Amino acid sequence: MEKWRLKLQLIPVVFLSVMVLNLNAQNLLVNPDAETGDTQGWVDVNDAWSAAADITPHGGDYFFWPARLDIAYTEIYQDVDVSSYASQIDAGNLWYDLSGWLANWDQYPHDRATLALEALNGNQEQLLYVSRDHRSPVWTFYELEGQIPAHTRTLRVHLIATRFVGSDNDGYFDDLSLSVNNTAPSVYVTVSAENGLTELPADGTLQLFAATTGGTDGGYNWSSSFEAVATVDTNGLVTAHQAGKFTIQASGKNTGKTGFIELTAYNPEDIVFVTPQTGIQWPAGSVQEVTWHVKGNLSSGTLFFSTTGGSNWMEIASIDSVAGGRFFWTLPDSDKSLNSCYLKMAWDGGESVSSVFSIIPNTTAIKDKAYRNRPGTFQLLTNYPNPFGESHTYQGNANTTIRYQLSATNRVRLTVYNAFGQKVAVLVKGQQAPGRYQVNFNAAGLASGVYFYSLQAGAFKQTRKMIYLR
């Protein structure tokens, strides 16, 4: 079907918004809404994108989409130089706010539109990557907010489209905005599930709840990122229709702020990935533990890997017994960041796909030139994002990154405690050389609240506070 010749009236999901005074109130993006009629201001990696609008845009006369038919996975991106804010960024006093409207063509199982933000240091090395996916024909608003990591000099906005059906690639983007703020977001929405669940049967239901901190909302507009897998009603009741991963978003009717939660619908015979989790960064060439749990009586399977958003796959290994629930995977080497990575387990009669994750160049000690020199002091740095949490708008999962620096070789111990002084995790234990390090902390399964992380290296000891919101 020559669907580009048809007209489709896409009905926007309308969310109220409020203007918040910030350091740079203007939109930092060039041509954020395609109203130049082309992709001016954006880098078109595959020379595949267009601003032509043969269907109804969210606003104006144009929107971005990859009109070239032979590309299954493609992106455009725009770099925003934030080096003029270096002192505020390095002091932990600058936050980003990226938003936009996403849609797809109405054909199951729908192509995927991904809005992403990447933070890069002066050597163009990745410090942060966050993203939101959408697979629905309804124009839907997404917002990403968070702290800009220390040493960031460039914010890169990615528009990524992945084809899963038909001959062309229908990821649609419109009315994008990027701003930076010198105060942390004071109003945010969190989403939680009944009994803390993140999974439900493919024919089941799950009640969600939303709460607003720092403001008042008289109710919420609910939406699903993948309506073919699951829908949500006006009261936050999710109904699954088939197996798969999806995100449910709640937008405050008064504040316009959004919160979300990632969920998985599963079949009676299925595999549900536990790790990797959304947004996690794994160093290239490292050995990582892939984990899952099994529904039903599955015996064996084959593990695959994709760096192109799931548009093509490479086999990793045959798993003789999936019941063990884990596999130690040696990641491929890469001298650049790979941001649309997925794992897939396939078995006779089915398959299951993980959450999206990134592979970054191996930075056990971060390779920025400023880091290659031996640090002059021992120091424990502020974690980011902070606050963080599974349903928190800053990150959307239970991961946060802790950084520290060592000025001399020493035995190192990095420990996390709860507010009662009880040890909940030991993240590092052993001898390390001088350098700057980063460690991921996953708080899944822990209660919301204040936690402390403590670095001890010989006689040096420093402790900092972080806040986890489920």
Side-chain angles (χ1 to χ4, degrees):
M1 175 181 292
E2 295 182 341
K3 63 189 178 191
W4 54 88
R5 296 182 181 174
L6 301 179
K7 297 284 185 178
L8 174 66
Q9 183 70 32
L10 294 179
I11 301 172
V13 175
V14 178
F15 297 127
L16 299 176
S17 62
V18 295
M19 179 63 71
V20 179
L21 292 177
N22 54 46
L23 181 68
N24 222 6
Q26 77 271 22
N27 190 346
L28 299 179
L29 293 175
V30 176
N31 189 22
D33 49 15
E35 292 306 306
T36 61
D38 54 26
T39 57
Q40 176 184 329
W42 297 84
V43 177
D44 188 346
V45 176
N46 304 112
D47 191 25
W49 288 67
S50 170
D54 285 337
I55 61 173
T56 304
H58 170 259
D61 298 318
Y62 302 96
F63 63 87
F64 297 112
W65 74 292
R68 184 173 150 191
L69 301 185
D70 59 342
I71 301 292
Y73 172 83
T74 183
E75 70 166 284
I76 56 175
Y77 69 85
Q78 185 173 148
D79 285 347
V80 176
D81 183 357
V82 292
S83 59
S84 60
Y85 305 124
S87 60
Q88 292 150 297
I89 291 172
D90 294 348
N93 294 327
L94 209 64
W95 284 259
Y96 63 82
D97 187 339
L98 172 66
S99 63
W101 292 79
L102 280 59
N104 309 97
W105 183 260
D106 191 7
Q107 184 179 8
Y108 176 80
H110 304 101
D111 296 336
R112 181 173 61 222
T114 301
L115 175 65
L117 181 77
E118 185 176 17
L120 303 168
N121 65 19
N123 282 348
Q124 295 292 289
E125 294 167 334
Q126 185 185 105
L127 303 176
L128 174 73
Y129 185 85
V130 291
S131 65
R132 297 293 304 276
D133 292 338
H134 182 74
R135 296 177 72 172
S136 167
V138 179
W139 282 109
T140 303
F141 178 77
Y142 291 95
E143 184 175 27
L144 294 161
E145 292 182 293
Q147 187 179 34
I148 300 177
H151 309 292
T152 296
R153 298 298 178 262
T154 301
L155 293 177
R156 176 172 292 176
V157 176
H158 297 261
L159 311 183
I160 305 169
T162 309
R163 184 178 65 210
F164 291 98
V165 62
S167 59
D168 46 348
N169 190 333
D170 295 293
Y172 306 151
F173 304 84
D174 204 358
D175 294 333
L176 305 157
S177 176
L178 174 66
S179 63
V180 293
N181 317 295
N182 58 4
T183 56
S186 58
V187 180
Y188 52 87
V189 172
T190 56
V191 179
S192 59
E194 183 179 13
N195 298 321
L197 297 175
T198 57
E199 303 170 7
L200 70 159
D203 59 353
T205 61
L206 181 64
Q207 182 64 55
L208 301 183
F209 307 95
T212 302
T213 300
T216 302
D217 280 310
Y220 301 89
N221 293 312
W222 295 88
S223 61
S224 170
S225 67
F226 198 176
E227 293 182 332
V229 172
T231 52
V232 59
D233 70 11
T234 57
N235 297 312
L237 181 65
V238 175
T239 300
H241 308 294
Q242 59 182 302
K245 287 187 178 292
F246 58 97
T247 298
I248 297 296
Q249 176 171 275
S251 178
K253 291 184 177 180
N254 295 333
T255 65
K257 290 298 182 180
T258 61
F260 60 95
I261 186 171
E262 185 179 88
L263 301 171
T264 301
Y266 59 85
N267 288 320
E269 299 280 331
D270 213 337
I271 286 174
V272 178
F273 280 93
V274 178
T275 57
Q277 290 189 320
T278 299
I280 198 168
Q281 297 170 307
W282 278 349
S286 65
V287 177
Q288 299 292 336
E289 185 181 22
V290 179
T291 60
W292 61 85
H293 54 256
V294 178
K295 307 289 185 181
N297 298 308
L298 297 175
S299 57
S300 61
T302 304
L303 190 62
F304 295 87
F305 166 54
S306 175
T307 61
T308 58
S311 60
N312 56 65
W313 298 91
M314 298 166 283
E315 183 175 337
I316 297 174
S318 295
I319 311 295
D320 293 332
S321 176
V322 297
R326 66 186 60 206
F327 176 80
F328 289 93
W329 176 37
T330 301
L331 277 68
D333 290 325
S334 179
D335 59 0
K336 64 178 182 179
S337 296
L338 305 172
N339 296 316
S340 295
C341 300
Y342 289 85
L343 295 177
K344 178 176 73 174
M345 185 73 79
W347 60 93
D348 186 17
E351 62 181 37
S352 177
V353 177
S354 75
S355 298
V356 64
F357 64 100
S358 296
I359 295 177
I360 58 175
N362 199 329
T363 53
T364 303
I366 300 173
K367 298 180 200 173
D368 188 302
K369 288 181 180 178
Y371 286 175
R372 290 177 183 172
N373 298 325
R374 180 187 296 243
T377 60
F378 291 91
Q379 187 178 9
L380 179 63
L381 304 175
T382 302
N383 67 299
Y384 72 88
N386 188 30
F388 68 105
E390 295 169 357
S391 58
H392 196 260
T393 186
Y394 291 174
Q395 183 78 351
N397 63 46
N399 292 289
T400 189
T401 299
I402 298 172
R403 295 171 182 259
Y404 60 94
Q405 64 182 41
L406 307 175
S407 59
T409 299
N410 224 314
R411 287 195 61 80
V412 176
R413 188 180 182 95
L414 181 61
T415 310
V416 178
Y417 300 90
N418 63 21
F420 301 102
Q422 299 167 320
K423 185 190 306 179
V424 298
V426 177
L427 303 180
V428 178
K429 184 180 181 182
Q431 184 164 293
Q432 289 185 323
R436 289 173 168 81
Y437 296 84
Q438 61 181 16
V439 177
N440 180 74
F441 172 57
N442 184 285
L446 297 178
S448 296
V450 174
Y451 290 84
F452 298 90
Y453 56 103
S454 179
L455 175 69
Q456 184 164 1
F460 173 84
K461 187 172 184 179
Q462 185 177 1
T463 301
R464 287 186 177 272
K465 180 175 72 173
M466 56 185 170
I467 299 173
Y468 174 54
L469 300 171
R470 293 196 60 171

